[in-house]
Amino acid sequence: MREKLVIGNWKMNGTRESNARRLERLASEWRGASGRLLGVCVPAPYLAQAQAMLSQSAVAWGVQDVSEHESGAYTGDVSAAMAADFGCTYAIVGHSERRQLHGESDALVGAKARAATAAGLTPIACVGETLDERERGATNDVVLREMDALIGALRSDTAKMVVAYEPIWAIGTGRTASPEEAQAVHSTLRARLAQAGAAEVPLLYGGSVKAANAAALFAMPDIDGALVGGASLDADEFLRIGRA
Ligand code: PEP
């Protein structure tokens, strides 16, 4: 039975005060159930706050990026071991904002996924196409190229990751892929994972997920949950997505 997960990506948002209100609400309202997980990936400076406020709850927490290096002269970077030191379960790697704004290559994203598993974290590896790539019919080529880089980097640890399909044209735009559009890509990704002996990897959808569209997406056979950006900043909306 594949795990069902809803993970929030707060991106570069929050203050100690607003985080405290949001984390308190999640910790008190979320009732964990076996195989159904809720988590939030917070900005690195707030990992200690997330750990302090969530450790007695059923809500997991994680980091939004990790270095590919273990330690050393990499000013400004955060290692996977540091995130693990703050009790993180998850590390997002290869978010499209990092691929596009920080020039992260498939090889670098693979190395980050490997660094995360080496530190005992679960990488949430993002793949997805631009609008231009979708319109020229290149969606499968793009997501499979990104997936193959991850499988090549993780090898026997491939089954330890979570994959998030996030069409770039749907992130933060209010435009969601239809459940059928998302399912078509998820089924392609599932087939490639199965070839790699990792058919049980949870496949999340991300891109303008809200309480209003979550249930229809989650009804698709290969969609195991969501990576949620904007809507994860509203605790009640995020809880509704989790319950969906
Ligand atoms: C994301 O940043 O991973 C994301 C899916 O954002 P949003 O839900 O705001 O589209």
Side-chain angles (χ1 to χ4, degrees), residues 47-233:
L47 285 174
Q49 189 185 21
Q51 182 178 37
M53 294 196 65
L54 297 177
S55 52
Q56 301 305 315
S57 80
V59 182
W61 61 98
V63 68
Q64 296 172 12
D65 181 42
V66 287
S67 171
E68 71 277 29
H69 302 290
E70 247 176 68
S71 63
Y74 303 104
T75 302
D77 285 357
V78 172
S79 74
M82 290 171 184
D85 218 5
F86 283 95
C88 287
T89 301
Y90 300 106
I92 298 174
V93 297
H95 191 282
S96 60
E97 286 152 16
R98 297 214 57 92
R99 290 182 190 261
Q100 292 195 315
L101 305 175
H102 296 264
E104 294 196 1
S105 65
D106 294 342
L108 179 60
V109 173
K112 289 183 171 200
R114 204 168 52 230
T117 56
L121 303 179
T122 298
I124 301 176
C126 302
V127 302
E129 81 287 5
T130 63
L131 186 57
D132 176 60
E133 288 162 341
R134 171 159 283 259
E135 284 173 347
R136 33 188 182 87
T139 298
N140 285 351
D141 292 345
V142 171
V143 298
L144 289 176
R145 188 201 73 222
E146 292 173 334
M147 177 70 100
D148 286 345
L150 288 158
I151 292 170
L154 289 172
R155 293 186 289 270
S156 59
D157 280 343
T158 297
K160 294 185 180 166
M161 73 174 159
V162 168
V163 172
Y165 167 56
E166 298 209 312
I168 295 166
W169 47 271
I171 297 181
T173 59
R175 184 175 163 191
T176 322
S178 70
E180 293 74 21
E181 282 173 325
Q183 168 58 28
V185 179
H186 279 228
S187 115
T188 300
L189 292 172
R190 178 83 61 212
R192 184 57 57 96
L193 284 164
Q195 280 169 4
E200 297 299 300
V201 162
L203 277 177
L204 312 184
Y205 168 78
S208 299
V209 174
K210 309 178 214 36
N213 58 26
L217 287 160
F218 299 165
M220 294 290 121
D222 287 300
I223 299 183
D224 302 316
L227 183 57
V228 183
S232 71
L233 296 173

Side-chain angles (χ1 to χ4, degrees), residues 31-52:
R31 298 277 159 269
S34 148
R36 285 164 193 273
L37 307 170
L38 191 82
V40 283
C41 291
V42 305
Y46 298 129
L47 285 174
Q49 189 185 21
Q51 182 178 37

